[in-house]
Each structure stands twice: as C-alpha cells, then as structure tokens.
Amino acid sequence: MTELAYKEHLRLMATYNSVMNARLIALLTPVPDADLLAARGAFFGSVLGTLNHLIVADLIWLNRFRPHPFGHVLMPLDALPKPAVLADLLYPTLAELAPVRETLDALFIRFVDQLTDADIAAPLTYRNTTGQPFTKTLGLVLSHVFNHQTHHRGQVTTLLSQMGLDIGVTDLAPLVPDLT
C-alpha cells in the first residue's frame, strides 16, 4: 500500500469511528444511565463500562502520540484525564461521556489529516500500561487503535441487541468511496 493510500485508509478509519460513535451515542441518548451501567456480562461489565474503556484506551494512545513533532494538534488532551487503568469508569453518565467521545474522534481525524508519509512510516516508541517498552510503526499502531474501537463497539452493539435496540448497519462499506 502506498503512503498516500495508507493515509487515506487511516482517514477513512478515523471517519468511520467518528460516524459510528455518533450513531451509537444518538441511539443511547434516551436510554437511562442505570440501564447503561447495568452489568451485562461484557468484559468491561456494562455498555457504559465498555464505552469508557474505549475512551480510556484512546486517551492513553493519543497521549503516546504527543511527543512527536506532529503531536501539537493533541493539545486539547491537557483538559482530559490521564488514565492508567483500562477499566476506569471516567464518565458514569452518557451525558458526561458523549462530548469527550466527540472531542477524541475529532482529535483522531485532525491528527491523521496532518500526518506526512514520513510520520506514518515513523517508529513510535512507548510503554504499555505495565511499563513494557515497544517500538512500532505509527501507521500500524493507528490501525490497531481504530480496530480496537470497532472490536468493542461490536460488543456494545451485541449488548444493545440484547436490550432490544438496533443500531442498524455498522459496516465500513457505506463510507468507502465509490470509484464510479
């Protein structure tokens, strides 16, 4: 995949996550927070537990990207928590969680938009939450972050289905540009 094609892929994934997160928040808005916090047997317990996990993971990753020269677009992270535990329930209500989700999704899009070919191919050195060091390619790490969101949103849509709520089609295909 060429660098331009890879950047387009990253932009598509950032946009897809933003669109799907907005649809999910819209569907959940009328649901009482008590129902969203109810234990449902998910890995992170509840709908809000899972959505909080996504925010926590995104905050951790976005902060790992900040030391790079292109990290200046991530300055809004200064106003947000710096979680260390992946199961933190930072936002116990949807009203608290929704604007943070929107902010993070916008940051991912702005971050990807300003990346150069060299940035995408550059090494990213970081430590995981247990302190283990890693060095990986930034573009591939971003692919992981977007895939991680898709994975856990899939878990949430299953929980919603069990609650009688249908988010509709969640496929990426409707956002893939048509060549005709």
Side-chain angles (χ1 to χ4, degrees):
M1 185 179 302
T2 67
E3 301 300 346
L4 178 59
Y6 201 76
K7 181 173 179 171
E8 290 170 0
H9 170 73
L10 293 173
R11 179 59 154 88
L12 175 65
M13 295 308 298
T15 301
Y16 169 68
N17 280 323
S18 179
V19 167
M20 291 308 304
N21 288 332
R23 283 183 52 201
L24 192 57
I25 297 295
L27 178 66
L28 294 174
T29 297
V31 178
D33 287 323
D35 290 346
L36 299 177
L37 282 168
R40 302 200 179 271
F43 190 78
F44 293 96
S46 66
V47 171
L48 271 172
T50 304
L51 295 177
N52 268 276
H53 166 69
L54 284 174
I55 285 182
V56 166
D58 288 351
L59 285 168
I60 290 170
W61 279 112
L62 285 166
N63 277 295
R64 288 173 180 159
F65 301 151
R66 287 191 69 178
H68 290 268
F70 44 83
H72 67 279
V73 300
L74 303 176
M75 295 298 291
L77 292 171
D78 290 342
L80 297 172
K82 306 267 184 296
V85 179
L86 293 173
D88 276 350
L89 189 70
L90 300 175
Y91 305 102
T93 69
L94 189 63
E96 294 171 290
L97 183 137
V100 176
R101 179 72 271 160
E102 186 176 331
T103 296
L104 295 179
D105 289 342
L107 282 175
F108 273 116
I109 290 170
R110 284 202 322 250
F111 181 70
V112 167
D113 280 349
Q114 57 77 52
L115 292 176
T116 66
D117 295 353
D119 295 331
I120 291 167
L124 172 71
T125 299
Y126 64 92
R127 292 186 180 276
N128 69 8
T129 57
T130 64
Q132 184 178 2
F134 292 93
T135 299
K136 299 184 179 197
T137 304
L138 174 67
L140 295 176
V141 169
L142 278 166
S143 289
H144 159 73
V145 172
F146 298 139
N147 185 65
H148 180 254
Q149 278 199 35
T150 301
H151 167 70
H152 285 296
R153 261 195 324 271
Q155 293 173 337
V156 170
T157 60
T158 296
L159 297 176
L160 295 180
S161 178
Q162 293 168 359
M163 296 167 62
L165 298 170
D166 181 12
I167 194 167
V169 176
T170 60
D171 290 339
L172 175 64
L175 292 179
V176 174
D178 189 5
L179 296 179
T180 59

